[in-house]
Amino acid sequence: MDAMAPGMGPMRAGEPLIRAEGLGVRAQDHWVLRNVDIAVASGEIVTLIGPNGGGKTTLVRALLGVAHIHRGTVVRRPGLTVGYVPQRLRIDPTLPLTVRRMMTATSRHDGAELRQALEATGVAHTLDRPVQRLSGGELQRVLLARAMMRKPALLVLDEPVQGVDYAGEAALYQLIADTRARTGCGVLMVSHDLHIVMAATDRVVCLNGHVCCTGSAHDVSGSPEYRALFGPRAVDAIAVYAHKHDHEHV
C-alpha cells in the first residue's frame, strides 16, 4: 500500500488543497477505483460525474480519509478545513429537530452567527422551523450554510441538487458559484447527471472506476421558451459536458 498520510510533507504555495495520484480502492475481490488522479485548488470548482456504481462517493471518502486506500497517494494541505454536504440526510419524522438545533448539534454558535450563515444562503426564515417541514431546496441551502460555518478551505458537495426541481437546481448552482466567489474556497462537487453540470465548473472529471475523461463544460444556449420557463439565470448556471472517451457507460 502506497497511501500517504494527510499533510505528509509541506505543500508549496499554489499547490492543490487536496490531490490524489494513482489512487486505488478495493472492495472484496475487485477494484472500485484504479489509477485515479485528481486535484482541487483554492477557488476552483471541480465537478465529478459518472454512472451509478462508478466510484464517485468512494473517491470522495478516500480523499477525505474516510475510506481505506489500497494504492496510490493522497495529500491534503496541512490544516485543511473541509465543509461537507452529504448525499442524503434521513431524519426521523417524529424527531423534534429545528434548523437551529441541527446547526448547533456539533458546534456552538450564537443566534447572530446562525442567522448570518442562513442569510448567506437565502434561508434565514427557516431558523426555528422543523427540519422535516423544509422543501428539498431549503434543506440543501441549510446544509450548505451549516458546512460554510466551518469557514472551510475546501467545500465538498455530494449530489447537492438531488431531489430538487430544475429551477431549484439552477438556483443552487448559482448559490454555490456565489459562495466560491465570496470565500475563495475550493469546491469538489459530485453530480448525479452525466451531461448537465454547473456552468461555473472549472473542470469536469468523468469517473467509472477510472478517470474516463476530463475537460471543461460548455455554456448552455437557452431557447426563448427555456428562458421563459426557468429564467435567464438558469441559462447562466447550467452547462453541458461533452464526453470524450472511447467506450459507453452502462
Side-chain angles (χ1 to χ4, degrees), residues 197-210:
V197 298
M198 179 177 168
T201 296
D202 297 293
R203 188 157 37 90
V204 181
V205 177
C206 179
L207 186 73
N208 189 18
H210 64 285

Side-chain angles (χ1 to χ4, degrees), residues 120-178:
T121 60
V123 285
H125 62 282
T126 68
L127 182 56
D128 292 303
R129 183 180 296 179
V131 173
Q132 295 89 340
R133 288 177 52 191
L134 302 181
S135 69
E138 286 175 332
L139 178 58
Q140 291 305 104
R141 287 169 177 265
V142 167
L143 292 175
L144 179 58
R146 184 171 182 264
M148 292 307 299
M149 288 185 71
R150 292 177 51 83
K151 296 181 171 55
L154 175 65
L155 181 61
V156 178
L157 309 169
D158 196 349
E159 300 196 17
V161 297
Q162 189 177 59
V164 178
D165 64 28
Y166 203 50
E169 181 175 334
L172 277 168
Y173 280 159
Q174 187 62 56
L175 175 60
I176 294 164
D178 292 344

Side-chain angles (χ1 to χ4, degrees), residues 57-121:
T57 297
T58 298
L59 175 56
V60 169
R61 289 167 57 83
L63 289 172
L64 298 182
V66 179
H68 183 68
I69 299 168
H70 296 86
R71 182 175 295 172
T73 60
V74 173
V75 181
R76 306 175 194 93
R77 182 171 293 181
L80 179 67
T81 54
V82 178
Y84 179 66
V85 175
Q87 181 181 18
R88 293 182 179 89
L89 184 65
R90 293 186 177 90
I91 301 172
D92 188 328
T94 64
L95 184 68
L97 181 67
T98 64
V99 170
R100 183 189 298 272
R101 290 186 65 182
M102 186 178 73
M103 295 278 285
T104 56
T106 58
S107 56
R108 292 185 177 182
H109 300 282
D110 61 32
E113 290 176 303
L114 295 178
R115 189 166 294 279
Q116 183 178 15
L118 293 169
E119 283 176 351
T121 60

